[in-house]
Amino acid sequence: MLGKFKAVLVGGFLLYSNIAMAKLSVAPQFVLFDKNSPKVQMINVVNSSDEEKTFNVKLLHYRQNVDGTYSAVENEDDKNKFVDNLIFYGPRRFTLGAREAQTIKVQRKPKANVEAGEYRSHILFQEAEKEDVAVVSNNPASKGLSFKITALYGVSIPVVVRVGDLFSTASLSNIKLIKKGDSDILNLTINRVGTKSLRGDLSVKYGDVEIGVLKGVNVFLSVDSRNVSIPLNLEKINNESLKGKTLRIEYSLDEKMITHSDFVY
């Protein structure tokens, strides 16, 4: 199963999912190495299925698109620098029984002559393909050989390395409240300026009541802006009409405000 499905499925696996999949869960969903972070970090991988499985671990490279989806990229450029030569990680293959866990060690390499900037790749945890992908068919019309296609689950999370003194600022624009069926959706654009990516939580408040939230929203260096849609839960305000009312949208990291905007519907 290859290709891109919705906003998060690329090449047959999920990019930094924040949920436990039916067969695999990974935590945390983001790894950052900068001047303030530990040089060694751990990722916990759990086989959430009911059977033994083997998993492979490797690095892949993607650029982010304005709509939040991802596209594969083969060569580095100014906005897509890779971490391959900046980290160690392992083990790179392991087998887990049902509900068993494995810790993956990710270590920043000793400082070398590396150009200042932000480097990013995605570390993939993918179910290994079984050896019996080719089988002899009992159907005479198949002339003896047939193939079975198996969908392999995988989860990928970003690993970011920052070198030097980097900065970024953010602003919000293109804020619109729309109806989609019975749902209220707030659309907006996060604009990024600077030499490092953004990562934070988006919150929509009506007065003191939070009626919408998105956690861990990234705007990576490959884009200068990202479009986001936030579902609103108007039941928290007893389905009160928002017409003419002011909503406050906040983009923050670790409870520290990155930017905010007020919107009158």
Side-chain angles (χ1 to χ4, degrees), residues 86-104:
L86 301 178
I87 64 170
F88 300 105
Y89 64 97
R92 301 193 181 189
R93 184 178 176 92
F94 54 89
T95 299
L96 296 176
R99 313 298 172 183
E100 288 185 346
Q102 172 71 49
T103 298
I104 306 299

Side-chain angles (χ1 to χ4, degrees), residues 21 38 139 153 164 168 174 190 212 236 252:
M21 295 177 58
N139 183 355
Y153 282 94
S168 63
N174 302 325
I190 305 174
K236 290 187 174 183
S252 58

Side-chain angles (χ1 to χ4, degrees), residues 172-187:
L172 305 177
S173 64
N174 302 325
I175 303 172
K176 297 179 181 178
L177 188 62
I178 65 170
K179 293 283 291 187
K180 186 175 289 187
D182 295 330
S183 301
D184 293 88
I185 308 292
L186 191 71
N187 291 338

Side-chain angles (χ1 to χ4, degrees), residues 195-249:
T195 54
K196 68 178 183 180
S197 61
L198 296 168
R199 178 178 174 83
D201 300 333
L202 276 169
S203 173
V204 182
K205 294 181 179 180
Y206 174 54
D208 295 328
V209 181
E210 185 176 70
I211 59 174
V213 63
L214 285 180
K215 298 286 189 180
V217 181
N218 297 304
V219 186
F220 289 123
L221 283 187
S222 49
V223 292
D224 296 326
S225 62
R226 175 181 170 181
N227 298 328
V228 179
S229 296
I230 309 172
L232 302 182
N233 183 2
L234 299 189
E235 291 183 357
K236 290 187 174 183
I237 54 172
N238 299 317
N239 292 307
E240 180 180 340
S241 173
L242 294 176
K243 190 171 182 62
K245 305 296 176 59
T246 299
L247 300 180
R248 185 175 181 85
I249 304 104

